[in-house]
Amino acid sequence: MLFSPIKIADLKLSNRIAVAPMCQYSAVDGVMTDWHTQHLMQLGYSAAGLVMVEATAVERVGRITHHCTGLYNDFCEISFKKTLEQAKFVSPKSTAFGIQLAHAGRKASTQRPWEGRKSLTENQNPWRTVAPSSIAFEDGWHIPEYLAKEDLERIKKNFVESALRAVKVGFDLIEIHGTHGYLFHQFLSSISNHRADEYGGSLENRMRFPLEVFNSIREALPINFPLGMRITGTEWDKDGIDESEAIIFSKELEKIGCDYLCVSSGGNTPNPQIPIGPHYQVHLAKIIKQNTSMVIRTVGMITDPIKANEIIINEEADMVAIARAFLTNPRWVWDAAKTLNINIDVPPQYARRF
Ligand SMILES: Cc1cc2nc3c(=O)[nH]c(=O)nc-3n(C[C@H](O)[C@H](O)[C@H](O)COP(=O)(O)O)c2cc1C
């Protein structure tokens, strides 16, 4: 089952394994560098059905760090086009490439993980962050600026423009980053959204901005272009998004033409109590799958191909996304195919490896 094909809108994926989006913090003003070339080329010939490119900011202030990728000007676009062409050159024809479009909101202007992962200090060229409400992520983090209505319009326009650039560049699929404590998650969660206007308060109001942006992107894209979102199944906090809110949000997304969801969790509070362990988010995908008809992807500590196969057999999710296991072993899919006794195409140059 893991190696059976699946369709997202009109896009046929050769198997149900996705490389999860992974920030590389190696760009220069949003522009991809040689690091991205090697990273995406090596994942390109991994034989995963879908390779997701990292969270890519739709405007400068939406970058997490100075080194995040962006798709907000022609320089960025040219670098993406070149890198994607190189990655596609070494990939099986059947491997699709998607991009995750993002805005970090109050979690922007931070150091890279290996530099501390805190808000940038005064001598590190910080920028003013923005959010639904002026509430810092944690003590010592930047206090974000409240987003006025005209700012929301600007962000919406920037999402649409970046999505159109992504199509031009040659991506096969677009994913909107709706979780991990970034801007749309900040709107959805009553922990970070204390607005008194139509974008805050009730769940209907908190969903409004993410849904408006999603809808604008949907309308701007070519018909049937595969479009999905990564969402929060739970915030692991009694005051935050829980499974019931996640179901309602998913159903609203489905109504406006969302093709698939990847169900993740957490990220909007500094120290959530997460029962981390193998497959710790699969139950979240399952509950969304049971309540909607979209393609549902699960993620989180999936490393064993036999168990990954069982997720699909048991109809807990339609696809699995894998992040860190691909960093350890970019040939994870080749090994999984061997374990599950499946023949897959590998580059002929490497075909004699066994
Ligand atoms: C280096 C790294 C970068 C990541 N960057 C992103 C990202 O850009 N967007 C995103 O939604 N998740 C990101 N994540 C989270 C992963 O996509 C994934 O959800 C998480 O690592 C759990 O999956 P795993 O246990 O297979 O690693 C990142 C994770 C890692 C390890």
Side-chain angles (χ1 to χ4, degrees):
M1 285 304 291
L2 192 60
F3 282 89
S4 62
I6 184 166
K7 272 178 90 176
I8 298 182
D10 286 343
L11 178 67
K12 193 170 170 194
L13 302 176
S14 55
N15 60 51
R16 287 150 186 263
I17 305 160
V19 177
M22 280 183 276
C23 289
Q24 296 299 295
Y25 310 103
S26 301
V28 177
D29 192 1
V31 170
M32 284 187 160
T33 62
D34 287 350
W35 179 263
H36 297 96
T37 310
Q38 77 78 22
H39 175 67
L40 293 171
M41 283 177 97
Q42 102 174 256
L43 292 172
Y45 62 79
S46 69
L50 176 65
V51 176
M52 286 304 307
V53 170
E54 66 190 83
T56 295
V58 301
E59 58 180 22
R60 273 202 183 85
V61 296
R63 290 173 303 160
I64 306 169
T65 71
H66 281 295
H67 313 278
C68 289
T69 50
L71 205 35
Y72 44 72
N73 64 28
D74 290 350
F75 297 110
C76 298
E77 186 182 313
I78 290 164
S79 75
F80 269 74
K81 191 166 175 28
K82 177 172 159 246
T83 310
L84 188 60
E85 273 169 13
Q86 289 168 312
K88 285 195 169 184
F89 174 73
V90 294
S91 310
K93 289 279 164 291
S94 55
T95 294
F97 284 82
I99 183 169
Q100 190 186 52
L101 295 179
H103 195 300
R106 68 177 183 167
K107 284 176 78 177
S109 187
T110 65
Q111 301 151 348
R112 295 192 269 204
W114 57 87
E115 291 164 345
R117 213 180 218 144
K118 298 278 183 217
S119 277
L120 291 172
T121 57
E122 276 316 308
N123 61 359
Q124 291 176 323
N125 197 13
W127 64 89
R128 293 172 86 93
T129 58
V130 295
S133 302
S134 291
I135 305 169
F137 172 66
E138 192 179 7
D139 283 349
W141 280 54
H142 302 309
I143 297 173
E145 267 177 31
Y146 173 89
L147 282 164
K149 294 253 171 73
E150 57 269 26
D151 301 317
L152 298 186
E153 281 310 308
R154 182 198 75 228
I155 291 174
K156 193 189 296 176
K157 190 170 139 281
N158 286 336
F159 264 98
V160 170
E161 279 180 9
S162 295
L164 293 177
R165 285 185 190 274
V167 176
K168 239 202 295 173
V169 158
F171 281 105
D172 305 299
L173 170 150
I174 295 175
E175 174 170 304
I176 307 302
H177 201 342
T179 182
H180 299 172
Y182 297 117
L183 188 66
F184 292 146
H185 188 164
Q186 292 159 29
F187 268 92
L188 281 165
S189 169
S190 40
I191 291 175
S192 42
N193 182 345
H194 291 189
R195 293 174 79 98
D197 64 0
E198 69 269 35
Y199 293 102
S202 64
L203 177 60
E204 188 185 354
N205 282 356
R206 284 181 278 123
M207 290 190 298
R208 193 180 307 279
F209 185 58
L211 291 175
E212 275 182 12
V213 177
F214 191 93
N215 200 36
S216 302
I217 298 170
R218 176 84 279 171
E219 284 178 354
L221 288 177
I223 289 174
N224 286 340
F225 191 89
L227 177 65
M229 195 184 267
R230 202 167 215 206
I231 64 157
T232 309
T234 176
E235 277 189 274
W236 311 103
D237 186 307
K238 63 177 176 30
D239 299 322
I241 298 167
D242 61 8
E243 288 87 333
S244 62
E245 288 197 343
I247 291 170
I248 295 170
F249 182 53
S250 303
K251 286 183 171 173
E252 291 302 315
L253 282 168
E254 185 168 20
K255 278 189 212 158
I256 56 173
C258 184
D259 297 309
Y260 82 94
L261 294 176
C262 183
V263 187
S264 191
S265 73
N268 198 32
T269 50
N271 297 304
Q273 297 302 306
I274 306 181
I276 299 245
H279 297 203
Y280 72 103
Q281 294 179 142
V282 172
H283 67 289
L284 300 170
K286 183 176 176 187
I287 198 167
I288 302 295
K289 183 168 161 60
Q290 285 167 341
N291 282 279
T292 64
S293 308
M294 292 171 281
V295 170
I296 302 298
R297 201 169 82 198
T298 185
V299 66
M301 292 193 73
I302 298 165
T303 55
D304 178 340
I306 294 173
K307 292 194 179 137
N309 198 31
E310 280 166 11
I311 293 174
I312 312 292
I313 292 171
N314 297 337
E315 298 188 359
E316 294 171 295
D318 302 297
M319 293 183 68
V320 298
I322 294 172
R324 287 164 293 180
F326 270 110
L327 299 182
T328 313
N329 176 14
R331 316 268 205 276
W332 189 93
V333 181
W334 302 13
D335 293 341
K338 200 173 173 206
T339 305
L340 296 170
N341 218 1
I342 303 277
N343 276 325
I344 56 165
D345 285 339
V346 300
Q349 296 92 329
Y350 287 4
R352 286 171 59 186
R353 70 186 185 114
F354 293 123

